[in-house]
Every structure is written in C-alpha cells, then in structure tokens.
Amino acid sequence: MTFDTLDVTVDDGIATVRIDNDPVNAIDQEMRHELAEAVDVLREDRVRVGVFAGTADVFSVGADVGLFETAQDWTTAEFRSNSRVLGRAFDGLETMEKPVLAAIEGTCVGGGLELALACDVRIASPDATLGFPEHNIGLIPGLGGCSRFVQLVGPGTAKDLIFSGELIDGERAREIGLVERVADDPDAAAQSYAESLLDQPPQALGLAKRVVNAARDTDTQTAGVLESLAQSTLIETEDHREGLEAFRENRDPEFTGE
C-alpha cells in the first residue's frame, strides 16, 4: 500500500504513521482517505502498537481551508458523507484493541488535534501549540473536538478553549488533561513507550482499552460487568499462565498474545 500524504512503516510490531503533507500537514481530501487506509494497516495482526507523528514544526493544522471552500458546493448529505470517511478513521483508532500513541511537536490544531484525541495516549513537546481555532471560519470542532475533548478536560475548560480559540502549549495541555505526557522529543518518547508495550500481554492491553472506554461512556455498573467479563476471558489465556510462572520463577515473562 502506497501513500502520498503519509509515511506508514511497520517495524517489529510498531506501526508508525507520519503525516507528510507539505507545507503544514493539512488534512485534505486525499489525506482523509489515506488516514482511513492507514487505520486498516494498524488493524493487521503484525501490528501491536500504533504511533502517529508529524514533523518537528507541525503535527497537523487540521482541515485544508480549501476543502471547506469546495464544500460550499456540496449538499448537506455530501458533506456528511465526506466527513464520515475521517470520522470512521478516528473511531477506528479509538475502538481497536491496540494502544495508539500520538507524538505531538509543533502545531497541532483543529482536525490535527482531533486526530490526536482519537489516540489513547498523547505525548507533546513543552512548546507544542494545541487548540481549536475553528471559530475563525464560523465552524466548531466537528470530529471529536467537542465530544472527545470534553471527556478529557471537562465541560467548562472545553467550552472556554473552544469559545476563545485560545492556543495552549504542551505544558498547559498536560495541566488540563489534554495530553498525558510532555517530552522534549515526543517522537523518541513515543517510540520508547511503544517498544515497552511490546513486552506487555496484547489481549490484556486491548481489553483494558475497551473497558476503560466503556467506563467513560456508560454507567459504573455496566462498566463493572464488562470489566469482570474481560477478566474472565484473560484468566484463561496462555499469557496469564506465563505471567504466573514468570512471577514464581522470578524472571521476565514472555508474552505471545495467546
């Protein structure tokens, strides 16, 4: 599979998707479809962890403004159909039973930040620039910038930053819960993190992700049932048995995903 706006590589179980669409990594119509194809690559069995990254200067500025100019000639149905291409890609990242990391350097705004929100863990540089400036063209963040954003930072902060269009740096983003980690070299930090996850039991990671997402989206009792069911599945895996044996033998476990 070849890409024009992305650089997609798979190395020892880690799929790295680097946004490469000069000059500002704008999400144009071509990238929308290529992001959906990249998510399909992450779903492949050979991939254990996914990493999304940009360049040192820009993760992504979000949607190409020219795309909205083109959309002036679309019907509402056509606009919604085109939006679903990217929406399904973001949903795919959020729901797949694999960890997905975002390494954020430089500018990460609008749809670029919505892409990062669909990942599980965000690692940003201290001087990264994050936010939602959609009000400048009379729109709102429409692919997770409202719905996913509020789950991380709460309704007051979400509304404040969306209303004002204020752009914040990586340190402030960590303070409000928008990113989980800050590192001088987010790319290297994300790769190191991804490598460490390769030593973890894949099924346990995948089900932990699903249960945490369910706990976020539903009531505590329902989430607790899912948690118990996931545990009852994992207790029958070979990885669980390997973990117990390794503990008793005082050695590092070797998980296989079985």
Short mmCIF file of all heavy atoms in Angstrom, two decimals, residues 29-95:
data_model
loop_
_atom_site.label_atom_id
_atom_site.label_comp_id
_atom_site.label_asym_id
_atom_site.label_seq_id
_atom_site.Cartn_x
_atom_site.Cartn_y
_atom_site.Cartn_z
N GLN A 29 -8.56 16.25 1.11
CA GLN A 29 -9.43 15.13 0.75
C GLN A 29 -8.63 13.84 0.57
O GLN A 29 -9.06 12.75 0.98
CB GLN A 29 -10.21 15.47 -0.53
CG GLN A 29 -11.33 14.51 -0.85
CD GLN A 29 -12.54 14.68 0.05
OE1 GLN A 29 -12.43 15.03 1.22
NE2 GLN A 29 -13.73 14.43 -0.51
N GLU A 30 -7.44 13.94 -0.01
CA GLU A 30 -6.62 12.75 -0.21
C GLU A 30 -6.19 12.16 1.12
O GLU A 30 -6.24 10.95 1.32
CB GLU A 30 -5.40 13.08 -1.06
CG GLU A 30 -4.53 11.87 -1.37
CD GLU A 30 -3.37 12.19 -2.29
OE1 GLU A 30 -3.02 13.38 -2.42
OE2 GLU A 30 -2.82 11.25 -2.89
N MET A 31 -5.78 13.02 2.05
CA MET A 31 -5.34 12.50 3.34
C MET A 31 -6.49 11.86 4.11
O MET A 31 -6.28 10.90 4.85
CB MET A 31 -4.68 13.58 4.20
CG MET A 31 -4.00 12.99 5.44
SD MET A 31 -3.51 14.18 6.69
CE MET A 31 -2.17 15.01 5.86
N ARG A 32 -7.68 12.39 3.97
CA ARG A 32 -8.83 11.77 4.64
C ARG A 32 -8.90 10.27 4.30
O ARG A 32 -9.03 9.43 5.19
CB ARG A 32 -10.14 12.44 4.20
CG ARG A 32 -10.39 13.81 4.80
CD ARG A 32 -11.73 14.35 4.36
NE ARG A 32 -12.02 15.64 4.97
CZ ARG A 32 -13.22 16.00 5.41
NH1 ARG A 32 -14.24 15.17 5.29
NH2 ARG A 32 -13.40 17.17 5.95
N HIS A 33 -8.81 9.97 3.03
CA HIS A 33 -8.90 8.58 2.60
C HIS A 33 -7.65 7.79 3.00
O HIS A 33 -7.74 6.61 3.36
CB HIS A 33 -9.13 8.52 1.09
CG HIS A 33 -10.49 9.00 0.68
ND1 HIS A 33 -11.62 8.20 0.73
CD2 HIS A 33 -10.91 10.21 0.23
CE1 HIS A 33 -12.67 8.90 0.32
NE2 HIS A 33 -12.27 10.11 0.00
N GLU A 34 -6.49 8.44 2.96
CA GLU A 34 -5.27 7.73 3.32
C GLU A 34 -5.21 7.45 4.82
O GLU A 34 -4.66 6.43 5.23
CB GLU A 34 -4.04 8.52 2.86
CG GLU A 34 -3.91 8.53 1.34
CD GLU A 34 -2.53 8.96 0.87
OE1 GLU A 34 -1.74 9.47 1.69
OE2 GLU A 34 -2.25 8.78 -0.34
N LEU A 35 -5.75 8.33 5.64
CA LEU A 35 -5.82 8.05 7.07
C LEU A 35 -6.69 6.83 7.34
O LEU A 35 -6.37 5.99 8.19
CB LEU A 35 -6.35 9.26 7.84
CG LEU A 35 -5.35 10.40 8.07
CD1 LEU A 35 -6.06 11.64 8.60
CD2 LEU A 35 -4.27 9.97 9.05
N ALA A 36 -7.79 6.72 6.59
CA ALA A 36 -8.64 5.53 6.73
C ALA A 36 -7.88 4.27 6.33
O ALA A 36 -7.99 3.22 7.00
CB ALA A 36 -9.90 5.69 5.88
N GLU A 37 -7.08 4.36 5.29
CA GLU A 37 -6.28 3.21 4.86
C GLU A 37 -5.18 2.89 5.87
O GLU A 37 -4.87 1.72 6.12
CB GLU A 37 -5.67 3.49 3.48
CG GLU A 37 -6.71 3.57 2.37
CD GLU A 37 -6.12 4.09 1.07
OE1 GLU A 37 -4.92 4.43 1.05
OE2 GLU A 37 -6.85 4.14 0.06
N ALA A 38 -4.61 3.92 6.49
CA ALA A 38 -3.57 3.70 7.49
C ALA A 38 -4.14 2.99 8.71
O ALA A 38 -3.47 2.14 9.32
CB ALA A 38 -2.95 5.04 7.91
N VAL A 39 -5.37 3.31 9.06
CA VAL A 39 -6.02 2.62 10.18
C VAL A 39 -6.18 1.13 9.86
O VAL A 39 -6.01 0.28 10.75
CB VAL A 39 -7.38 3.27 10.51
CG1 VAL A 39 -8.15 2.44 11.54
CG2 VAL A 39 -7.18 4.68 11.03
N ASP A 40 -6.45 0.82 8.61
CA ASP A 40 -6.52 -0.60 8.21
C ASP A 40 -5.18 -1.30 8.40
O ASP A 40 -5.13 -2.47 8.77
CB ASP A 40 -6.97 -0.71 6.75
CG ASP A 40 -8.44 -0.40 6.56
OD1 ASP A 40 -9.21 -0.51 7.53
OD2 ASP A 40 -8.82 -0.02 5.43
N VAL A 41 -4.08 -0.59 8.15
CA VAL A 41 -2.76 -1.16 8.38
C VAL A 41 -2.58 -1.46 9.87
O VAL A 41 -2.09 -2.53 10.25
CB VAL A 41 -1.64 -0.21 7.89
CG1 VAL A 41 -0.27 -0.74 8.30
CG2 VAL A 41 -1.72 -0.03 6.39
N LEU A 42 -3.00 -0.53 10.72
CA LEU A 42 -2.87 -0.73 12.16
C LEU A 42 -3.69 -1.93 12.63
O LEU A 42 -3.35 -2.56 13.65
CB LEU A 42 -3.32 0.51 12.93
CG LEU A 42 -2.21 1.50 13.31
CD1 LEU A 42 -1.57 2.09 12.06
CD2 LEU A 42 -2.75 2.61 14.21
N ARG A 43 -4.75 -2.27 11.92
CA ARG A 43 -5.58 -3.41 12.32
C ARG A 43 -4.91 -4.76 12.00
O ARG A 43 -5.35 -5.79 12.51
CB ARG A 43 -6.93 -3.35 11.60
CG ARG A 43 -7.86 -2.24 12.07
CD ARG A 43 -9.27 -2.46 11.53
NE ARG A 43 -10.19 -1.46 12.01
CZ ARG A 43 -10.58 -0.39 11.31
NH1 ARG A 43 -10.10 -0.20 10.09
NH2 ARG A 43 -11.42 0.49 11.82
N GLU A 44 -3.88 -4.75 11.18
CA GLU A 44 -3.25 -6.01 10.77
C GLU A 44 -2.62 -6.72 11.96
O GLU A 44 -2.15 -6.09 12.91
CB GLU A 44 -2.18 -5.74 9.70
CG GLU A 44 -2.77 -5.20 8.39
CD GLU A 44 -1.69 -4.85 7.38
OE1 GLU A 44 -0.50 -5.16 7.64
OE2 GLU A 44 -2.03 -4.27 6.33
N ASP A 45 -2.61 -8.05 11.91
CA ASP A 45 -2.12 -8.85 13.03
C ASP A 45 -0.65 -8.58 13.35
O ASP A 45 -0.22 -8.75 14.49
CB ASP A 45 -2.31 -10.34 12.73
CG ASP A 45 -3.77 -10.76 12.75
OD1 ASP A 45 -4.59 -10.01 13.34
OD2 ASP A 45 -4.09 -11.81 12.17
N ARG A 46 0.12 -8.17 12.35
CA ARG A 46 1.55 -7.93 12.59
C ARG A 46 1.80 -6.68 13.42
O ARG A 46 2.91 -6.45 13.91
CB ARG A 46 2.29 -7.80 11.26
CG ARG A 46 1.80 -6.65 10.40
CD ARG A 46 2.49 -6.62 9.04
NE ARG A 46 1.93 -5.61 8.17
CZ ARG A 46 2.65 -4.76 7.44
NH1 ARG A 46 3.98 -4.84 7.48
NH2 ARG A 46 2.07 -3.87 6.66
N VAL A 47 0.78 -5.86 13.61
CA VAL A 47 0.91 -4.61 14.37
C VAL A 47 0.42 -4.80 15.79
O VAL A 47 -0.68 -5.29 16.02
CB VAL A 47 0.13 -3.47 13.69
CG1 VAL A 47 0.17 -2.20 14.54
CG2 VAL A 47 0.69 -3.20 12.30
N ARG A 48 1.25 -4.42 16.75
CA ARG A 48 0.88 -4.48 18.17
C ARG A 48 0.58 -3.10 18.75
O ARG A 48 -0.24 -2.96 19.64
CB ARG A 48 2.02 -5.13 18.95
CG ARG A 48 2.32 -6.58 18.58
CD ARG A 48 1.57 -7.53 19.46
NE ARG A 48 1.93 -7.35 20.86
CZ ARG A 48 3.00 -7.87 21.46
NH1 ARG A 48 3.86 -8.61 20.76
NH2 ARG A 48 3.23 -7.65 22.74
N VAL A 49 1.27 -2.08 18.24
CA VAL A 49 1.12 -0.71 18.76
C VAL A 49 1.18 0.26 17.59
O VAL A 49 1.95 0.04 16.64
CB VAL A 49 2.24 -0.36 19.76
CG1 VAL A 49 1.99 1.03 20.37
CG2 VAL A 49 2.35 -1.39 20.86
N GLY A 50 0.39 1.32 17.65
CA GLY A 50 0.42 2.35 16.61
C GLY A 50 0.94 3.66 17.16
O GLY A 50 0.70 4.00 18.32
N VAL A 51 1.66 4.41 16.33
CA VAL A 51 2.17 5.73 16.69
C VAL A 51 1.87 6.70 15.55
O VAL A 51 2.19 6.42 14.39
CB VAL A 51 3.69 5.72 16.95
CG1 VAL A 51 4.19 7.13 17.24
CG2 VAL A 51 4.04 4.78 18.10
N PHE A 52 1.25 7.84 15.89
CA PHE A 52 1.03 8.91 14.91
C PHE A 52 1.95 10.07 15.23
O PHE A 52 2.10 10.46 16.40
CB PHE A 52 -0.43 9.38 14.94
CG PHE A 52 -1.36 8.51 14.15
CD1 PHE A 52 -1.84 7.33 14.69
CD2 PHE A 52 -1.75 8.86 12.87
CE1 PHE A 52 -2.68 6.50 13.97
CE2 PHE A 52 -2.59 8.04 12.13
CZ PHE A 52 -3.06 6.86 12.68
N ALA A 53 2.59 10.62 14.21
CA ALA A 53 3.53 11.72 14.40
C ALA A 53 3.47 12.64 13.18
O ALA A 53 2.93 12.28 12.13
CB ALA A 53 4.95 11.19 14.59
N GLY A 54 4.03 13.83 13.36
CA GLY A 54 4.14 14.77 12.26
C GLY A 54 5.60 15.10 12.03
O GLY A 54 6.44 14.21 12.01
N THR A 55 5.89 16.38 11.90
CA THR A 55 7.28 16.84 11.76
C THR A 55 7.65 17.65 12.99
O THR A 55 6.84 17.84 13.91
CB THR A 55 7.44 17.69 10.50
OG1 THR A 55 6.67 18.91 10.68
CG2 THR A 55 6.93 16.97 9.27
N ALA A 56 8.88 18.15 13.01
CA ALA A 56 9.32 18.93 14.17
C ALA A 56 8.56 20.25 14.28
O ALA A 56 8.43 20.80 15.38
CB ALA A 56 10.83 19.20 14.05
N ASP A 57 8.04 20.76 13.17
CA ASP A 57 7.36 22.06 13.18
C ASP A 57 5.85 21.96 13.23
O ASP A 57 5.19 22.90 13.70
CB ASP A 57 7.76 22.87 11.94
CG ASP A 57 9.23 23.22 11.93
OD1 ASP A 57 9.78 23.50 13.02
OD2 ASP A 57 9.84 23.20 10.84
N VAL A 58 5.31 20.86 12.74
CA VAL A 58 3.86 20.78 12.70
C VAL A 58 3.40 19.32 12.72
O VAL A 58 3.89 18.49 11.96
CB VAL A 58 3.29 21.51 11.45
CG1 VAL A 58 3.87 20.94 10.17
CG2 VAL A 58 1.78 21.47 11.43
N PHE A 59 2.50 19.03 13.65
CA PHE A 59 1.82 17.74 13.65
C PHE A 59 0.78 17.77 12.54
O PHE A 59 0.83 17.02 11.59
CB PHE A 59 1.18 17.49 15.02
CG PHE A 59 0.48 16.17 15.14
CD1 PHE A 59 1.20 15.02 15.44
CD2 PHE A 59 -0.90 16.06 14.99
CE1 PHE A 59 0.57 13.79 15.56
CE2 PHE A 59 -1.54 14.85 15.11
CZ PHE A 59 -0.81 13.70 15.40
N SER A 60 -0.17 18.69 12.65
CA SER A 60 -1.14 18.95 11.58
C SER A 60 -1.95 20.19 11.94
O SER A 60 -2.34 20.37 13.09
CB SER A 60 -2.09 17.77 11.37
OG SER A 60 -3.12 18.10 10.45
N VAL A 61 -2.20 21.02 10.93
CA VAL A 61 -3.03 22.21 11.15
C VAL A 61 -4.51 21.88 10.99
O VAL A 61 -5.37 22.77 11.11
CB VAL A 61 -2.66 23.35 10.18
CG1 VAL A 61 -1.23 23.79 10.40
CG2 VAL A 61 -2.91 22.94 8.73
N GLY A 62 -4.82 20.61 10.71
CA GLY A 62 -6.22 20.24 10.54
C GLY A 62 -6.67 20.36 9.11
O GLY A 62 -5.86 20.31 8.17
N ALA A 63 -7.95 20.53 8.94
CA ALA A 63 -8.54 20.52 7.59
C ALA A 63 -7.97 21.63 6.72
O ALA A 63 -7.76 22.76 7.17
CB ALA A 63 -10.05 20.64 7.68
N ASP A 64 -7.74 21.29 5.47
CA ASP A 64 -7.34 22.27 4.46
C ASP A 64 -8.51 23.23 4.24
O ASP A 64 -9.64 22.80 3.95
CB ASP A 64 -7.01 21.53 3.16
CG ASP A 64 -6.45 22.43 2.08
OD1 ASP A 64 -6.53 23.66 2.24
OD2 ASP A 64 -5.95 21.89 1.08
N VAL A 65 -8.25 24.53 4.42
CA VAL A 65 -9.33 25.51 4.25
C VAL A 65 -9.93 25.42 2.86
O VAL A 65 -11.14 25.62 2.66
CB VAL A 65 -8.80 26.94 4.52
CG1 VAL A 65 -9.86 27.98 4.18
CG2 VAL A 65 -8.39 27.08 5.98
N GLY A 66 -9.10 25.07 1.88
CA GLY A 66 -9.62 24.93 0.52
C GLY A 66 -10.69 23.86 0.42
O GLY A 66 -11.59 23.94 -0.43
N LEU A 67 -10.61 22.87 1.32
CA LEU A 67 -11.63 21.82 1.33
C LEU A 67 -12.99 22.39 1.72
O LEU A 67 -14.02 22.02 1.14
CB LEU A 67 -11.22 20.70 2.29
CG LEU A 67 -12.15 19.48 2.38
CD1 LEU A 67 -12.24 18.78 1.03
CD2 LEU A 67 -11.64 18.52 3.45
N PHE A 68 -13.00 23.32 2.67
CA PHE A 68 -14.26 23.94 3.07
C PHE A 68 -14.80 24.84 1.97
O PHE A 68 -16.01 24.98 1.80
CB PHE A 68 -14.07 24.74 4.36
CG PHE A 68 -13.89 23.88 5.58
CD1 PHE A 68 -12.70 23.87 6.25
CD2 PHE A 68 -14.93 23.07 6.03
CE1 PHE A 68 -12.52 23.08 7.38
CE2 PHE A 68 -14.77 22.27 7.14
CZ PHE A 68 -13.56 22.27 7.82
N GLU A 69 -13.89 25.44 1.19
CA GLU A 69 -14.34 26.25 0.06
C GLU A 69 -15.00 25.36 -0.98
O GLU A 69 -16.05 25.70 -1.55
CB GLU A 69 -13.16 27.01 -0.53
CG GLU A 69 -12.61 28.08 0.41
CD GLU A 69 -11.32 28.69 -0.10
OE1 GLU A 69 -10.57 28.01 -0.82
OE2 GLU A 69 -11.06 29.86 0.25
N THR A 70 -14.40 24.20 -1.22
CA THR A 70 -15.01 23.24 -2.14
C THR A 70 -16.35 22.76 -1.62
O THR A 70 -17.31 22.57 -2.38
CB THR A 70 -14.07 22.03 -2.34
OG1 THR A 70 -12.82 22.47 -2.88
CG2 THR A 70 -14.70 20.99 -3.27
N ALA A 71 -16.41 22.57 -0.30
CA ALA A 71 -17.63 22.05 0.32
C ALA A 71 -18.81 23.00 0.19
O ALA A 71 -19.96 22.59 0.43
CB ALA A 71 -17.37 21.73 1.79
N GLN A 72 -18.54 24.27 -0.17
CA GLN A 72 -19.65 25.20 -0.36
C GLN A 72 -20.60 24.72 -1.46
O GLN A 72 -21.79 25.08 -1.46
CB GLN A 72 -19.10 26.59 -0.74
CG GLN A 72 -18.29 27.26 0.36
CD GLN A 72 -19.14 27.64 1.56
OE1 GLN A 72 -20.09 28.43 1.43
NE2 GLN A 72 -18.83 27.06 2.71
N ASP A 73 -20.09 23.90 -2.36
CA ASP A 73 -20.92 23.40 -3.46
C ASP A 73 -21.53 22.03 -3.15
O ASP A 73 -22.24 21.47 -3.98
CB ASP A 73 -20.09 23.30 -4.75
CG ASP A 73 -19.60 24.66 -5.23
OD1 ASP A 73 -20.35 25.64 -5.06
OD2 ASP A 73 -18.47 24.73 -5.76
N TRP A 74 -21.23 21.49 -1.97
CA TRP A 74 -21.77 20.18 -1.59
C TRP A 74 -23.15 20.34 -0.96
O TRP A 74 -23.44 21.36 -0.33
CB TRP A 74 -20.87 19.47 -0.59
CG TRP A 74 -19.53 19.07 -1.10
CD1 TRP A 74 -19.12 19.03 -2.40
CD2 TRP A 74 -18.41 18.64 -0.31
NE1 TRP A 74 -17.82 18.60 -2.48
CE2 TRP A 74 -17.35 18.36 -1.22
CE3 TRP A 74 -18.20 18.46 1.05
CZ2 TRP A 74 -16.11 17.92 -0.78
CZ3 TRP A 74 -16.97 18.02 1.49
CH2 TRP A 74 -15.93 17.75 0.58
N THR A 75 -23.96 19.32 -1.10
CA THR A 75 -25.19 19.25 -0.32
C THR A 75 -24.83 18.82 1.10
O THR A 75 -23.70 18.35 1.36
CB THR A 75 -26.17 18.25 -0.91
OG1 THR A 75 -25.60 16.92 -0.82
CG2 THR A 75 -26.49 18.58 -2.37
N THR A 76 -25.77 18.96 2.02
CA THR A 76 -25.53 18.50 3.39
C THR A 76 -25.20 17.02 3.40
O THR A 76 -24.31 16.57 4.13
CB THR A 76 -26.76 18.76 4.27
OG1 THR A 76 -27.00 20.18 4.31
CG2 THR A 76 -26.56 18.24 5.68
N ALA A 77 -25.89 16.25 2.58
CA ALA A 77 -25.64 14.81 2.52
C ALA A 77 -24.22 14.52 2.04
O ALA A 77 -23.54 13.63 2.55
CB ALA A 77 -26.66 14.14 1.61
N GLU A 78 -23.76 15.29 1.04
CA GLU A 78 -22.40 15.09 0.52
C GLU A 78 -21.36 15.45 1.59
O GLU A 78 -20.35 14.77 1.75
CB GLU A 78 -22.19 15.93 -0.73
CG GLU A 78 -22.93 15.42 -1.95
CD GLU A 78 -22.86 16.37 -3.12
OE1 GLU A 78 -22.82 17.60 -2.90
OE2 GLU A 78 -22.83 15.89 -4.27
N PHE A 79 -21.62 16.54 2.30
CA PHE A 79 -20.68 16.94 3.35
C PHE A 79 -20.61 15.87 4.44
O PHE A 79 -19.52 15.50 4.89
CB PHE A 79 -21.11 18.28 3.97
CG PHE A 79 -20.18 18.75 5.06
CD1 PHE A 79 -19.01 19.43 4.74
CD2 PHE A 79 -20.45 18.49 6.40
CE1 PHE A 79 -18.14 19.85 5.73
CE2 PHE A 79 -19.59 18.91 7.39
CZ PHE A 79 -18.42 19.60 7.06
N ARG A 80 -21.76 15.36 4.86
CA ARG A 80 -21.77 14.35 5.90
C ARG A 80 -21.09 13.07 5.43
O ARG A 80 -20.40 12.40 6.19
CB ARG A 80 -23.22 14.07 6.34
CG ARG A 80 -23.82 15.20 7.17
CD ARG A 80 -25.34 15.06 7.30
NE ARG A 80 -25.70 13.80 7.93
CZ ARG A 80 -25.74 13.61 9.25
NH1 ARG A 80 -25.41 14.59 10.07
NH2 ARG A 80 -26.12 12.45 9.74
N SER A 81 -21.27 12.72 4.16
CA SER A 81 -20.64 11.52 3.61
C SER A 81 -19.13 11.66 3.63
O SER A 81 -18.40 10.73 4.01
CB SER A 81 -21.13 11.28 2.18
OG SER A 81 -20.47 10.18 1.60
N ASN A 82 -18.62 12.83 3.24
CA ASN A 82 -17.18 13.06 3.25
C ASN A 82 -16.63 13.09 4.67
O ASN A 82 -15.54 12.59 4.94
CB ASN A 82 -16.84 14.37 2.54
CG ASN A 82 -16.77 14.21 1.03
OD1 ASN A 82 -15.79 13.72 0.50
ND2 ASN A 82 -17.82 14.61 0.33
N SER A 83 -17.38 13.66 5.59
CA SER A 83 -16.94 13.71 6.99
C SER A 83 -16.86 12.32 7.60
O SER A 83 -15.99 12.05 8.43
CB SER A 83 -17.90 14.57 7.82
OG SER A 83 -17.82 15.93 7.43
N ARG A 84 -17.75 11.44 7.16
CA ARG A 84 -17.75 10.09 7.73
C ARG A 84 -16.47 9.33 7.40
O ARG A 84 -16.08 8.43 8.14
CB ARG A 84 -18.98 9.31 7.25
CG ARG A 84 -20.25 9.67 8.01
CD ARG A 84 -21.34 8.63 7.77
NE ARG A 84 -21.81 8.63 6.40
CZ ARG A 84 -22.82 9.39 5.95
NH1 ARG A 84 -23.45 10.21 6.79
NH2 ARG A 84 -23.19 9.33 4.69
N VAL A 85 -15.82 9.66 6.29
CA VAL A 85 -14.56 9.00 5.95
C VAL A 85 -13.55 9.20 7.07
O VAL A 85 -12.94 8.25 7.58
CB VAL A 85 -13.99 9.54 4.62
CG1 VAL A 85 -12.60 8.97 4.36
CG2 VAL A 85 -14.93 9.22 3.47
N LEU A 86 -13.37 10.45 7.50
CA LEU A 86 -12.43 10.76 8.57
C LEU A 86 -12.97 10.33 9.92
O LEU A 86 -12.23 9.84 10.77
CB LEU A 86 -12.14 12.26 8.56
CG LEU A 86 -10.88 12.73 9.30
CD1 LEU A 86 -9.64 12.00 8.79
CD2 LEU A 86 -10.72 14.23 9.15
N GLY A 87 -14.27 10.49 10.11
CA GLY A 87 -14.88 10.08 11.38
C GLY A 87 -14.71 8.60 11.65
O GLY A 87 -14.40 8.18 12.77
N ARG A 88 -14.87 7.78 10.60
CA ARG A 88 -14.68 6.33 10.77
C ARG A 88 -13.24 6.00 11.10
O ARG A 88 -12.95 5.08 11.87
CB ARG A 88 -15.14 5.59 9.52
CG ARG A 88 -16.66 5.43 9.42
CD ARG A 88 -17.02 4.41 8.34
NE ARG A 88 -16.68 4.89 7.01
CZ ARG A 88 -17.53 5.50 6.20
NH1 ARG A 88 -18.77 5.72 6.59
NH2 ARG A 88 -17.15 5.89 4.98
N ALA A 89 -12.30 6.75 10.50
CA ALA A 89 -10.88 6.52 10.81
C ALA A 89 -10.60 6.83 12.27
O ALA A 89 -9.93 6.05 12.97
CB ALA A 89 -10.01 7.38 9.90
N PHE A 90 -11.09 7.96 12.75
CA PHE A 90 -10.88 8.32 14.15
C PHE A 90 -11.55 7.31 15.08
O PHE A 90 -10.98 6.91 16.10
CB PHE A 90 -11.42 9.72 14.42
CG PHE A 90 -10.64 10.83 13.75
CD1 PHE A 90 -11.07 12.13 13.81
CD2 PHE A 90 -9.46 10.57 13.05
CE1 PHE A 90 -10.37 13.17 13.21
CE2 PHE A 90 -8.75 11.58 12.43
CZ PHE A 90 -9.20 12.89 12.51
N ASP A 91 -12.77 6.92 14.75
CA ASP A 91 -13.47 5.92 15.57
C ASP A 91 -12.70 4.60 15.58
O ASP A 91 -12.65 3.91 16.61
CB ASP A 91 -14.88 5.69 15.04
CG ASP A 91 -15.81 6.88 15.27
OD1 ASP A 91 -15.45 7.75 16.08
OD2 ASP A 91 -16.88 6.92 14.64
N GLY A 92 -12.11 4.26 14.43
CA GLY A 92 -11.34 3.02 14.35
C GLY A 92 -10.14 3.04 15.28
O GLY A 92 -9.83 2.04 15.93
N LEU A 93 -9.46 4.18 15.36
CA LEU A 93 -8.33 4.30 16.27
C LEU A 93 -8.77 4.13 17.72
O LEU A 93 -8.11 3.47 18.52
CB LEU A 93 -7.65 5.66 16.10
CG LEU A 93 -6.95 5.93 14.77
CD1 LEU A 93 -6.40 7.35 14.74
CD2 LEU A 93 -5.83 4.92 14.54
N GLU A 94 -9.89 4.74 18.04
CA GLU A 94 -10.37 4.72 19.42
C GLU A 94 -10.85 3.35 19.86
O GLU A 94 -10.73 2.99 21.03
CB GLU A 94 -11.50 5.75 19.58
CG GLU A 94 -11.95 5.93 21.02
CD GLU A 94 -12.97 7.03 21.16
OE1 GLU A 94 -13.88 7.11 20.31
OE2 GLU A 94 -12.86 7.82 22.10
N THR A 95 -11.39 2.57 18.93
CA THR A 95 -12.02 1.31 19.32
C THR A 95 -11.15 0.08 19.09
O THR A 95 -11.45 -0.98 19.65
CB THR A 95 -13.35 1.12 18.56
OG1 THR A 95 -13.10 1.16 17.15
CG2 THR A 95 -14.34 2.21 18.93
#
